Amino acid sequence: MKIVIAGAGAVGTHLSKLLSTENHDCVLIDDDDERLGGVDSNYDIMAVCSSPTSIKTLNDAGVHDADLFVGVTRFESRNITACMLAHALGAKKTVARIDNYEYLIPGNIEYFKNMGVDSLVYPEVLAATDIISGLKQSWVRQRWDVHDGALVLLGVKLRENCQILNQQIKDLCGPDDPYHIVALKRGGETIIPGGLDILKANDLAYFMTTSEYIPHIKRIVGKGDYEDVHNVIIMGGGKTAVRAALTLPENMHAKIIESSLERCERLNQLVDRSNVMVIHGDGRDLSLLREEGIRNTQAFVSLTGNAETNILACLTAKKLGVRKTIAMVENLDYVSMAEGLDIGTIINKKTVAASHIFQMMMKADVRNMRTLMLADSEVAEFVAAEGSKVTRNLVKALGLPSGIAIGGLVRGRQGLLVNGNTQIEAGDSVMVFCHRHMLEKAERFFKKSLLPF
């Protein structure tokens, strides 16, 4: 596929690097030569130093035959303009990064489609969604609800008190068991497990289950003494914090600690909710944290613009007794360090946004997609097309490549776990787990085809 990306910032650069490893024809446009850096020499990317809203530049970049055009510069209006121009010049699909939540209202989205902007991406909203999902259970590193909880994905760190350690997957995840273990992170290795794999202490295990069995999983992984999250402290009052506060469940109470008095005043205008309090101060101040009840807080979320500050703040919160910590880590080089320091949940806006954009490239029907960042793998919700390969045999006879696994499906509104004897039907929403860079191999099983396999 041919993809043209406008904007060599964090999202654009990360996305172009990701696409270059997938053997796509990728062009990266930016009018700042320093931002382009050495991207084109280190990766199979064509870098163009010019304005992404120049018609000549877009023509020279080959937008007329682009399968996807992505506008992710720092400026919302520039992204929208570039997408409109790219659409007019022949790009098949366009996506623009925005920072105005009003544009995401369903009725307004249609206006943009009529103008040639097929999809809008607001990274802070996507990150806030992941934060709220992570707060639903204090003992879970990552959670993803599929079809309003018909299926649930839970990422859990296994400790020595876990009841299912040192057992083979085939003895734990049979046809009648209420969960499947679909991915493991062990040290620096990512495993899409088979029946003979064994669970070990300190594995990060991803469970696919249904919502009614979450208490069962909590018990068997040894997390029964973890409290539900009722009180949250958020450090940093940026856009992500605002979106998280506005979507915070009613049964949770949050305190946003922000060092800028001017920003605090603005936060009080933006977040007018009875369960959210804005506090002027430094979230690294231990006396302030104690004064604001850190010892009665079940979750601490650090969302400043500095990764080191967020990591250290979360470590401080853990020492003060907070069990659930979430850190915004924008520098990917720090992700493994944060994991090694046992920071609970790590949020990275550019990987979240890149996953959202990446799903638009799929030829099969992909409703949603997530990067399991700590596990270096992907999970995607594919809809099985009529006549697709995945509908022609039982799962055990599909010949899925190593590194690809099916965890569950939603049929109608019912979530079902998948085993070897499952027959997938056209229209099923199927959860597929795979090593990074293997999504396109998985996609082949779900595309509509008239050819025999």
Side-chain angles (χ1 to χ4, degrees), residues 34 45 55 89 105 123 254 294 307 368 388:
E34 290 186 8
I45 299 166
I55 293 176
L89 293 170
I105 297 172
I294 187 73
N368 217 328
S388 58

Side-chain angles (χ1 to χ4, degrees), residues 121-135:
V121 174
Y122 193 158
E124 288 77 10
V125 169
L126 297 174
T129 300
D130 282 358
I131 289 168
I132 297 301
S133 292
L135 290 174

Side-chain angles (χ1 to χ4, degrees), residues 296-335:
N296 296 315
T297 297
Q298 294 80 39
F300 182 90
V301 184
S302 192
L303 302 176
T304 76
N306 186 287
E308 297 98 320
T309 297
N310 294 337
I311 292 169
L312 291 173
C314 285
L315 288 174
T316 301
K318 289 178 79 73
K319 287 186 177 180
L320 292 173
V322 180
R323 281 186 151 180
K324 176 70 177 182
T325 58
I326 299 176
M328 180 78 77
V329 180
E330 286 301 281
N331 188 333
L332 290 174
D333 294 334
Y334 290 164
V335 169

